[in-house]
């Protein structure tokens, strides 16, 4: 990287090393940018994917069902191969409209990079209790779902044992299953709306599999406890989402997990002078993902909250390619109708599997199954004579019969390694659902020794299921 009197120079600077930032950096290099820098405040790349150890990533991009760390690793390898400069443990603190990025790290102190183009890829953050104003005391034991996820999946700590989750979006649902598999009792998931905001498959595999109650049209109206949460009061809400008097119910618990929404990380975007869309709370961008400030691009969750990482990567590619062209002084074409793409629906067709909620599960009799083999998400019905309808391929028929007779699940969890590292692991094929807890017990009874590479077999034929437990991340 070139250096000019205390200020470094680069063609493209990407802020944030999550899936959006990594794919932007890769695309920028591939489009001819020579010096591409990723600035990432954490100690490694991959962003939120590191803690999303469940599977369900990459069906569109790689036509495979990967865990979050596995999806991230694919991009980390591309970043490495293309000689992209990665500055981890480095926090970007300022950007000028003229594209000078100021950052700070232990190694370099304060420094600036004069960038040909900048890509904002800082992701989003969770709404906290403060944003919800729940009355009651201020005991410990109230966590956002993402913080709890980080504690259990990265740090190896259990946030609590008896849990109520507020919010039934995918993060809330996934944490309900995760905590249950690790031995906690999830007493209820409360959802203020009349249907869950999560993917249908997550309602099935995270709640129904474990008989976790989903309390629709309910919210938490009070938190009890002094030092530690002792319980919460929940109540039904009316059509204006106001609690209905007389419907209060006390639930004893030691932990309340809040999974009530995400907001784009937009402080830096504002400093750069980019226009913020009041609806998405992220920068206004055009079809090249260029903000209203020339040469500053944005992609991924910093623009608007995305449900699927695959679309985040697509957006990163668009932004990275355009940033490379801008830094080379080439013009970017923008069609009039796409000047502000935030206000337009994504060009990518939304797969059926993404349809939301419990209602999507209600069939016309028989057993209704949402197929998860591919992103199509066919809604398949199996009647009592095992006649199957609604599938679009023979794999769907097989899946549906299996699901109603002897369901199987891919198990994803973490394993403790000497030195305190939590290594994400998965079974390499689905195991019978009733064996999940036996498999967890065997996994939790073992300690790993590093180094471990993604794909290494850790336990062969776990619990006689025929499936091996393999590492889903590399720790060298
Ligand atoms: C719990 C959960 C479950 C999910 N499940 C699925 C799923 O099953 N399937 C699926 O496809 N998608 C899923 N997603 C969605 C997907 O993971 C996200 O959409 C995607 O990770 C967003 O990528 P991003 O790069 O925009 O943001 P992030 O992954 O959040 O990355 C942003 C990065 O920017 C860094 N950063 C921020 N500010 C600065 C700064 N000032 N300086 C330096 N670095 C900075 C952060 O440290 C972070 O690494 C899930 C998300 C969550 C939270």
């Amino acid at each position: 990287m070139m250096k000019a009197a205390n200020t470094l120079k680069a063609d493209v600077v990407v802020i944030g090393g999550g899936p959006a930032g990594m794919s932007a950096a890769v695309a920028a290099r591939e489009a001819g940018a020579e010096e591409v820098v990723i600035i990432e405040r954490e100690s490694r790349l991959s962003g939120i994917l590191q803690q999303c150890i469940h599977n369900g990533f990459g069906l569109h991009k790689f036509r495979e069902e990967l865990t979050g760390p596995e999806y991230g690793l694919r991009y980390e390898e591309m970043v490495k191969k293309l000689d992209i400069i990665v500055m981890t443990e480095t926090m970007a603190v300022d950007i000028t409209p003229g594209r000078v990025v100021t950052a700070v790290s232990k190694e370099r102190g304060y420094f600036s990079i004069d960038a040909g183009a900048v890509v904002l890829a800082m992701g989003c953050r969770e709404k906290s209790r403060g944003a919800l104003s729940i009355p009651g005391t201020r005991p410990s034991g109230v966590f956002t779902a993402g913080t709890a996820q980080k504690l259990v999946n990265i740090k190896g700590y259990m946030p609590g044992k008896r849990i109520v989750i507020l919010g039934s979006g995918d993060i809330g649902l996934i944490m309900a299953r995760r905590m249950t598999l690790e031995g906690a009792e999830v007493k209820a998931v409360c959802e203020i709306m009349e249907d869950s905001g999560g993917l249908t498959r997550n309602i099935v595999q995270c709640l129904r599999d474990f008989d976790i109650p989903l309390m629709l049209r309910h919210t938490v109206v009070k938190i009890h406890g002094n030092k530690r949460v002792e319980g919460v009061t929940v109540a039904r809400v009316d059509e204006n989402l106001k609690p209905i008097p007389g419907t209060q119910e006390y639930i004893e618990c030691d932990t309340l997990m809040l999974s009530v929404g995400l907001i784009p990380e937009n402080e830096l975007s504002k400093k750069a002078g980019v226009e913020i869309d009041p609806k998405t709370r992220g920068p206004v961008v055009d079809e090249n993902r260029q903000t209203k400030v020339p040469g500053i691009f944005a992609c991924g969750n910093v623009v608007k909250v995305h449900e699927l990482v695959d679309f985040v990567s697509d957006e990163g590619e668009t932004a990275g390619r355009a940033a490379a062209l801008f830094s080379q002084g080439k013009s970017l074409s923008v069609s009039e109708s796409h000047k502000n793409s935030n206000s337009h629906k994504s060009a990518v067709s939304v797969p059926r599997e993404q349809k939301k909620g419990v209602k999507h599960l209600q069939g016309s009799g028989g057993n209704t199954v949402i197929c998860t083999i591919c992103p199509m998400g066919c809604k398949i019905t199996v009647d009592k004579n095992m006649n199957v309808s609604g599938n679009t391929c023979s794999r769907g028929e097989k899946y549906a019969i299996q699901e109603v007779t002897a369901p199987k699940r891919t198990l994803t969890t973490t394993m403790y390694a000497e030195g305190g590292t939590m290594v994400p692991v998965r079974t390499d094929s689905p195991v019978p659902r009733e064996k999940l807890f036996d498999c967890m017990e065997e996994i939790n009874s073992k300690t790993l020794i590093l180094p471990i590479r993604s794909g290494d077999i850790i336990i062969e034929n776990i619990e006689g299921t025929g499936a091996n437990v393999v590492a889903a991340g590399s720790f060298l």
Side-chain angles (χ1 to χ4, degrees):
M1 194 157 43
M2 280 169 56
K3 197 173 172 190
N6 289 336
T7 303
L8 308 171
K9 269 184 177 287
D11 297 321
V12 176
V13 172
V14 179
I15 303 174
M22 289 193 290
S23 87
V26 166
R29 271 296 278 142
E30 286 174 346
E34 289 199 358
E35 289 183 323
V36 178
V37 179
I38 299 178
I39 297 181
E40 169 54 55
R41 66 185 171 196
E42 298 289 339
S43 59
R44 65 181 291 178
L45 294 175
S46 279
I48 199 78
L49 293 178
Q50 280 183 74
Q51 64 186 68
C52 297
I53 59 155
H54 56 281
N55 55 341
F57 297 82
L59 270 172
H60 298 263
K61 206 84 197 146
F62 298 110
R63 299 267 146 205
E64 277 178 69
E65 202 176 18
L66 304 171
T67 63
E70 286 171 330
Y71 187 98
L73 201 56
R74 300 235 169 152
Y75 277 91
E76 283 183 44
E77 279 160 6
M78 292 184 231
V79 165
K80 203 165 169 195
K81 217 160 145 193
L82 289 168
D83 290 327
I84 290 163
I85 301 159
V86 177
M87 297 180 175
T88 49
E89 297 186 326
T90 304
M91 174 97 178
V93 290
D94 192 32
I95 310 170
T96 67
R99 303 184 300 281
V100 175
V101 177
T102 304
V104 61
S105 74
K106 220 161 41 175
E107 196 185 317
R108 292 187 171 85
Y110 270 95
F111 64 99
S112 297
I113 310 179
D114 190 352
V118 173
V119 180
L120 307 172
M122 293 90 70
C124 57
R125 64 163 176 259
E126 295 177 286
K127 285 189 195 155
S128 62
R129 180 181 174 181
L132 283 179
S133 315
I134 303 172
T137 46
R138 294 284 176 273
S140 65
V142 182
F143 298 91
T144 62
T147 302
Q149 187 180 50
K150 189 169 185 178
L151 283 175
V152 67
N153 290 347
I154 308 245
K155 308 275 180 203
Y157 297 122
M158 278 293 274
K161 289 190 176 139
R162 288 165 297 129
I163 295 157
V164 170
I165 298 177
L166 179 60
S168 70
D170 291 312
I171 307 177
L173 299 177
I174 279 159
M175 282 312 288
R177 173 178 60 188
R178 183 74 188 115
M179 297 307 292
T180 308
L181 284 172
E182 287 293 355
E185 183 192 0
V186 178
K187 298 232 170 166
V189 175
C190 292
E191 170 57 57
I192 198 165
M193 306 310 283
E194 64 182 338
D195 205 354
S196 163
L199 296 176
T200 312
R201 72 189 224 146
N202 283 337
I203 293 166
V204 174
Q205 298 186 5
C206 300
L207 298 189
R208 292 200 173 177
D209 276 4
F210 305 101
D211 293 326
I212 297 171
L214 174 59
M215 300 178 79
L216 296 172
R217 282 205 163 278
H218 275 77
T219 191
V220 172
V221 292
K222 191 166 179 188
I223 298 171
H224 306 264
N226 289 318
K227 278 196 168 157
R228 176 82 198 192
V229 172
E230 287 167 10
V232 294
T233 300
V234 301
R236 224 184 131 69
V237 297
D238 62 20
E239 55 284 358
N240 300 316
L241 309 183
K242 293 270 175 280
I244 303 171
T247 64
Q248 288 92 337
E249 192 182 324
Y250 180 76
I251 306 178
E252 198 190 330
C253 61
D254 61 21
T255 302
L256 172 65
M257 262 179 213
L258 304 173
S259 179
V260 289
L262 304 161
I263 336 168
E265 266 304 342
N266 55 23
E267 280 71 18
L268 271 183
S269 314
K270 284 181 186 161
K271 281 187 179 173
V274 310
E275 188 185 329
I276 301 291
D277 183 330
K279 244 194 187 153
T280 59
R281 296 168 79 173
V284 172
V285 289
D286 65 19
E287 70 191 41
N288 295 305
R289 300 295 180 265
Q290 184 168 219
T291 67
K292 295 276 168 129
V293 178
I296 299 186
F297 299 78
C299 53
N301 279 1
V302 83
V303 176
K304 66 171 190 231
V305 176
H306 292 65
E307 277 149 3
L308 290 184
V309 73
D310 310 64
F311 301 157
V312 166
S313 301
D314 286 345
E315 222 179 78
E317 272 167 39
T318 306
R321 205 177 305 121
L325 295 181
F326 184 94
S327 73
Q328 292 159 27
K330 296 180 183 161
S331 65
L332 306 171
S333 61
V334 182
S335 60
E336 277 305 313
S337 62
H338 282 92
K339 283 226 159 120
N340 172 3
S341 76
N342 277 7
S343 58
H344 287 73
K345 287 237 175 334
S346 163
V348 191
S349 65
V350 177
R352 279 198 267 163
E353 203 270 324
Q354 279 191 66
K355 281 194 182 150
K356 303 279 185 162
V358 182
K359 285 184 181 163
H360 186 47
L361 269 173
Q362 288 156 0
S364 49
N367 277 299
T368 302
V369 167
I370 304 299
C371 183
T372 59
I373 301 257
C374 79
M376 287 279 290
C378 294
K379 184 176 175 180
I380 306 176
T381 303
V382 184
D383 71 15
K384 56 181 185 310
N385 299 318
M386 293 293 132
N387 294 315
V388 178
S389 55
N391 56 307
T392 47
C393 71
S394 57
R395 287 190 310 158
E397 179 175 353
K398 210 170 138 201
Y399 173 86
I401 291 175
Q402 167 114 73
E403 187 66 13
V404 298
T405 54
K408 288 186 163 192
R409 301 284 180 254
T410 297
L411 175 62
T412 60
T413 181
T414 50
M415 267 179 99
Y416 184 79
E418 272 180 5
T421 304
M422 301 307 293
V423 176
V425 297
R426 59 176 293 162
T427 54
D428 61 3
S429 58
V431 298
R433 191 174 63 188
E434 71 273 10
K435 290 243 177 184
L436 285 174
F437 286 102
D438 295 332
C439 293
M440 282 297 292
E441 207 172 311
E442 186 173 343
I443 289 169
N444 284 342
S445 69
K446 294 189 163 39
T447 298
L448 291 174
I449 295 170
L450 301 183
I452 294 275
R453 283 189 169 74
S454 185
D456 284 357
I457 295 180
I458 293 166
I459 304 173
E460 276 183 40
N461 188 20
I462 184 159
E463 296 295 310
T465 58
N468 301 315
V469 174
V470 296
S474 295
F475 295 83
L476 305 175

